[in-house]
Amino acid sequence: MSEQVDRRYGPATLPRSRGPLSAAVLDALRRPPHDLPAGLGANLDPADPITDEDLQLTLFLCYELHYRGWRGVDEAWEWQPTLLALRAEAERPFEAALRRLVGAPSVPAAGVAAGLAELVAADDGPPLALTLQRRATLGQFREFVAHRSVYHLREADPHSWALPRLGGPAKAALVEIQTDEYGNGRLDRMHAELFRRTLQRLGLDASYGAHLDAAPAVTLATNNLMSLFGLHRRLRGALLGHLAAFEMTSSLPNRRYGNGLRRLGLDEVATRFYDEHVEADAVHEQIAAHDMCGGLVRVEPALAPDVLFGAAAGLAVDRLFAAHLLDSWAAGRSSLRTPVAPAPPPKVPLVALPTVAPPAPPALV
């Protein structure tokens, strides 16, 4: 594999440490697999696990071993018992914080799909999408895209962990959604690949994991909760609930992101990722709520509270993420740990894509 392909698709380069625990993990990963010191993760009790830089980076370091790994790190670390034990120690305060944040969502008599709709209707997060559509500068939009690159360059992968853990209608519905996410087997239509083009259009490094060091803890947390749900079979209901909420709240924000880029003078190559999601997610939300989550609960009724917990946790952490960006910008500072460089002017596309007309606005927005 060439260096160019390697940088585009992973593994990522190890990031810098953010505290004693992540420093110890990074030091270990740079050496052959070995037992970590006893008690390394003992007494983990950060004041706010969701925004704790050291804890969230430690979790991300451990989780990435189950995705594409780290450049130069021995792959045998993935199942090293003492590292798995440390990950479990770090997961406990994180999961507990998520459960405190959202409580125990109740399942309405009408069923889990109705409960998901209620959660989405009640979600009153900060107006990040509206800000990006109407007022954000090009520099602020580039920051937003850098944050989101941590997920979008591996889009759909965390939720695919559910596939071997499901059967019947829920599995069929998830396959339908994921097939779209992966471009129906065509590289140029994969959502991760469309997002790579958006990064390139904005003059940002589009290689896998390029913006990890710049991403603050709250950004890592939006990714880590998907990995937490995906890597634990006991949380498969939460994983599907998270995906359902993601799909049910995606169409209008993506319309706004695309319109924001057009306002800033970007072309259809830059907006294609967002335009693609406007129509796709409008279909996905029905499949996710009724066929996927409804199908899961028909087979396993006891998982209904987990589905709503996963949805509520995803919405809540996204609200924290949006508030971080808007508060940073309102204070006149970067929302990233390391600001990105000024954007160059948009360039003519090197590879032409099929023309996609901007989506028509809905009757009422």
Side-chain angles (χ1 to χ4, degrees):
M1 180 179 293
S2 71
E3 179 65 18
Q4 179 185 6
V5 172
D6 184 61
R7 279 186 53 78
R8 289 172 64 196
Y9 298 114
T13 301
L14 283 171
R16 294 186 292 272
S17 65
R18 303 189 189 181
L21 190 57
S22 58
V25 172
L26 283 164
D27 179 66
L29 293 178
R30 292 188 178 101
R31 294 182 281 141
H34 57 275
D35 286 345
L36 300 180
L40 186 59
N43 304 315
L44 266 176
D45 188 25
D48 182 0
I50 295 172
T51 60
D52 187 272
E53 299 286 350
D54 197 26
L55 177 69
Q56 291 299 329
L57 180 59
T58 296
L59 284 171
F60 197 95
L61 289 167
C62 294
Y63 289 146
E64 186 60 25
L65 292 167
H66 301 286
Y67 289 97
R68 301 186 200 177
W70 297 103
R71 190 185 308 276
V73 171
D74 192 317
E75 293 183 349
W77 271 112
E78 180 181 8
W79 299 109
Q80 209 288 329
T82 60
L83 183 61
L84 291 175
L86 175 63
R87 192 189 89 187
E89 289 292 329
E91 285 175 331
R92 289 189 187 99
F94 181 41
E95 183 177 347
L98 292 172
R99 293 189 181 279
R100 287 194 302 270
L101 184 63
V102 302
S106 59
V107 182
V112 72
L116 288 167
E118 289 176 11
L119 282 173
V120 168
D123 185 46
D124 58 350
L128 178 60
L130 196 60
T131 299
L132 288 164
Q133 177 187 1
R134 297 180 178 177
R135 297 186 297 278
T137 65
L138 183 57
Q140 290 168 341
F141 216 114
R142 293 175 83 241
E143 287 189 14
F144 168 72
V145 170
H147 282 283
R148 288 304 197 193
S149 71
V150 180
Y151 168 68
H152 285 314
L153 287 178
R154 67 179 184 197
E155 182 160 340
D157 291 351
H159 298 109
S160 292
W161 287 111
L163 286 169
R165 294 168 178 176
L166 302 173
K171 184 167 193 165
L174 179 56
V175 167
E176 183 174 359
I177 293 171
Q178 298 300 79
T179 299
D180 256 1
E181 300 288 341
Y182 292 125
N184 291 283
R186 286 188 52 177
L187 176 64
D188 62 323
R189 294 182 178 177
M190 285 178 61
H191 290 181
E193 197 66 19
L194 295 178
F195 191 78
R196 188 181 311 282
R197 295 174 183 271
T198 299
L199 283 162
Q200 292 168 337
R201 261 308 182 252
L202 289 168
L204 294 169
D205 190 340
S207 56
Y208 185 77
H211 304 287
L212 181 56
D213 268 326
V218 70
T219 302
L220 300 186
T222 65
N223 291 272
N224 284 339
L225 73 84
M226 286 184 267
S227 298
L228 172 69
F229 295 162
L231 289 168
H232 290 274
R233 186 179 177 279
R234 67 181 175 85
L235 294 171
R236 63 195 179 280
L239 183 65
L240 296 196
H242 178 278
L243 177 57
F246 194 89
E247 299 292 347
M248 294 170 75
T249 57
S250 176
S251 189
L252 179 56
N254 276 294
R255 184 189 302 278
R256 287 176 166 160
Y257 301 147
N259 288 340
L261 284 174
R262 280 183 276 272
R263 172 181 61 82
L264 292 165
L266 276 294
D267 64 11
E268 72 277 3
V269 177
T271 65
R272 175 71 179 273
F273 173 83
Y274 299 113
D275 295 342
E276 176 77 16
H277 282 74
V278 173
E279 293 185 10
D281 290 353
V283 175
H284 288 176
E285 67 176 277
Q286 299 301 319
I287 299 170
H290 296 278
D291 301 335
M292 185 180 70
C293 292
L296 174 71
V297 170
R298 285 193 296 274
V299 174
E300 299 184 85
L303 295 183
D306 287 350
V307 170
L308 296 183
F309 162 65
L315 293 171
V317 176
D318 275 351
R319 287 195 296 272
L320 296 176
F321 168 79
H324 168 75
L325 268 66
L326 293 178
D327 289 348
S328 297
W329 296 341
R333 63 176 182 269
S334 173
S335 62
L336 295 167
R337 301 177 76 244
T338 305
V340 291
K347 298 179 181 178
V348 176
L350 297 175
V351 179
L353 291 174
T355 301
V356 177
L364 293 173
V365 176

